[in-house]
Amino acid sequence: MVGSQTNNDGRFFDPINTPGSWNNNSSFRYVHTQDPAMAMDDRHDQILVSVDLIDGVGADYIGEPTIPYSTTTWDDPHHSYRCWGNDGSSYDDPITTTGNTMVGPDIAQALIYSALNGGHLPVYLDLQIPPCFGDAECDGFADAEDWLALADCMTGPYAATGFTPPSAYCAGHSDWDSDGDVDLVDMAAFQATYADMQP
């Protein structure tokens, strides 16, 4: 499933790039998911992704899949991937409740209750879904309404005096170069693709 083959169609990848011998290994305590009620000592649960979710195009994992997960903190700034409730302070013990820096005592205790009789911690990650650039209505083509929407979102260049950042809505469909403004560079990008997006 994860090994490189001659034909890698269908191959999966660990988005936190953390291969190894996870069982009873404290180096991996931040990615252990088993067993919150008895002893956190193994990574039984994980999310694997296809190459399409780590290629920087379209929908993508929010994180840096070439960088291994931190061995010093659960709050790894390079990854959105998390083992919910595991703050790394409970290696080979039940999950920490009092003082749990990830979820606090109430949620940590609820995770223990849900794991009685051999349960595991949930794992999650965040994905970025691309906006409909140049298509304010997300209807599949650019038209005069999209042109007007872009014009309404124009903020000018970021360095301009009195600059006001665009709204999230405007940035989502009109900030083509993702530089935090909607200016003539973005207008030119819209113009260049306008004909291609016609019905």
Side-chain angles (χ1 to χ4, degrees):
M1 257 170 65
V2 296
S4 181
Q5 304 291 322
T6 303
N7 179 349
N8 276 325
D9 288 347
R11 180 181 178 194
F12 289 96
F13 297 85
D14 180 0
I16 60 172
N17 193 20
T18 306
S21 298
W22 307 304
N23 183 256
N24 292 321
N25 187 336
S26 65
S27 297
F28 296 106
R29 68 186 178 278
Y30 294 102
V31 297
H32 285 162
T33 59
Q34 184 231 302
D35 173 345
M38 301 295 289
M40 294 292 296
D41 64 2
D42 210 342
R43 183 186 184 199
H44 279 286
D45 311 276
Q46 54 189 289
I47 299 172
L48 299 175
V49 299
S50 71
V51 71
D52 290 336
L53 291 177
I54 56 172
D55 64 359
V57 177
D60 249 22
Y61 167 64
I62 297 177
E64 299 177 42
T66 60
I67 297 176
Y69 201 85
S70 175
T71 58
T72 59
T73 181
W74 65 265
D75 194 17
D76 187 331
H78 300 288
H79 294 283
S80 64
Y81 186 106
R82 298 286 184 264
C83 299
W84 187 241
N86 181 1
D87 68 355
S89 65
S90 52
Y91 171 69
D92 213 22
D93 285 318
I95 194 171
T96 300
T97 52
T98 303
N100 187 307
T101 59
M102 181 185 243
V103 297
D106 294 337
I107 293 175
Q109 188 61 56
L111 289 166
I112 288 173
Y113 289 147
S114 70
L116 294 175
N117 301 319
H120 300 218
L121 292 179
V123 180
Y124 73 92
L125 55 76
D126 293 326
L127 297 174
Q128 176 177 332
I129 306 299
C132 301
F133 282 117
D135 184 7
E137 304 156 306
C138 286
D139 60 3
F141 59 92
D143 55 22
E145 292 171 358
D146 298 313
W147 179 261
L148 293 172
L150 182 126
D152 286 343
C153 290
M154 292 286 286
T155 58
Y158 178 76
T161 304
F163 171 77
T164 302
S167 68
Y169 170 75
C170 285
H173 68 76
S174 296
D175 186 10
W176 285 69
D177 56 0
S178 300
D179 65 350
D181 62 31
V182 178
D183 58 12
L184 293 177
V185 173
D186 302 302
M187 182 74 75
F190 178 85
Q191 287 175 314
T193 59
Y194 182 78
D196 294 336
M197 297 176 70
Q198 294 302 298

